[in-house]
Amino acid sequence: PPRAHFDSITQRLVLNMDHFCPWVVNCVGFYNRKFFILFLFYTVVSCLYFLIAIVCRGPLSLQHLLVGKAGTTALKFMAVVFDSSLALAVSGFTCFHVKLVYYNQTTIESDCEEYDVGWRRNFESVFGANPWLWLLPVVGGGPVGDGVHWPLNDGTVEGGEDLIPMAGSDSDEEYGDEPDMDAQMEA
């Protein structure tokens, strides 16, 4: 299928493969890309929460960090340095992957623009149709589509031997009902 790649580490063909991630010890692809991006996002949020807590609150404040006991001060200082570095690095990863979702690309095909069908539909193809569930680590209805047929920005759908018109394009033909995601995931 288009946008599928064989992963040599897991020995599997992965739909809409983004990359193999050693952090989650799995391929990031069609069905788990949302959860990978949320993992990055919540890692940044927790790092920033820690930094705010250590700089602004009571015995963990910046004043106590600079004037506290020698052993505690060094430990707190190292924690701030490590957490700041992690927050900065993971923020870069998060921004990069959100940009890829915005343009409907993966790290493998980061220069391909033919799948960009508008930011809203691009986000729906990763996070699902319900925007209220985009920041929650739940499947909801799953990503929009089946991972095999991909709408192109010229109004057609790629996948299989023929290009068929997309629903809502200039043609009156519909390409059928959406596949049942629950049935596909059980198979």
Side-chain angles (χ1 to χ4, degrees), residues 14-179:
V14 180
L15 295 175
N16 194 26
M17 182 175 169
D18 189 74
H19 67 285
F20 179 83
C21 179
W23 290 12
V24 295
V25 193
N26 200 1
C27 277
V28 176
F30 183 70
Y31 289 108
N32 65 354
R33 189 170 175 199
K34 169 187 177 176
F35 302 105
F36 173 74
I37 294 170
L38 289 179
F39 168 69
L40 294 176
F41 174 73
Y42 286 122
T43 300
V44 171
V45 168
S46 63
C47 286
L48 294 177
Y49 176 79
F50 174 79
L51 284 173
I52 290 169
I54 203 162
V55 168
C56 297
R57 300 202 177 201
L60 296 178
S61 70
L62 189 58
Q63 178 185 2
H64 284 95
L65 177 66
L66 298 174
V67 185
K69 297 177 185 174
T72 308
T73 301
L75 184 62
K76 288 180 186 177
F77 178 74
M78 290 305 296
V80 168
V81 169
F82 176 76
D83 192 67
S84 301
S85 301
L86 183 63
L88 185 63
V90 177
S91 294
F93 284 138
T94 305
C95 292
F96 174 71
H97 281 282
V98 168
K99 183 192 96 160
L100 290 177
V101 171
Y102 185 84
Y103 292 110
N104 203 4
Q105 299 171 340
T106 64
T107 55
I108 293 174
E109 55 193 30
S110 61
D111 58 348
C112 179
E113 297 178 6
E114 66 184 341
Y115 299 109
D116 184 3
V117 290
W119 76 268
R120 173 77 183 217
R121 290 182 64 199
N122 293 344
F123 270 82
E124 288 176 351
S125 72
V126 174
F127 293 99
N130 186 350
W132 291 102
L133 299 177
W134 285 0
L135 291 178
L136 298 177
V138 297
V139 173
V144 172
D146 61 3
V148 176
H149 300 92
W150 290 95
L152 301 174
N153 55 16
D154 65 358
T156 58
V157 175
E158 182 181 42
E161 297 176 4
D162 299 321
L163 292 178
I164 49 182
M166 285 189 330
S169 66
D170 294 335
S171 174
D172 292 324
E173 297 176 23
E174 300 275 337
Y175 59 91
D177 295 326
E178 291 291 322

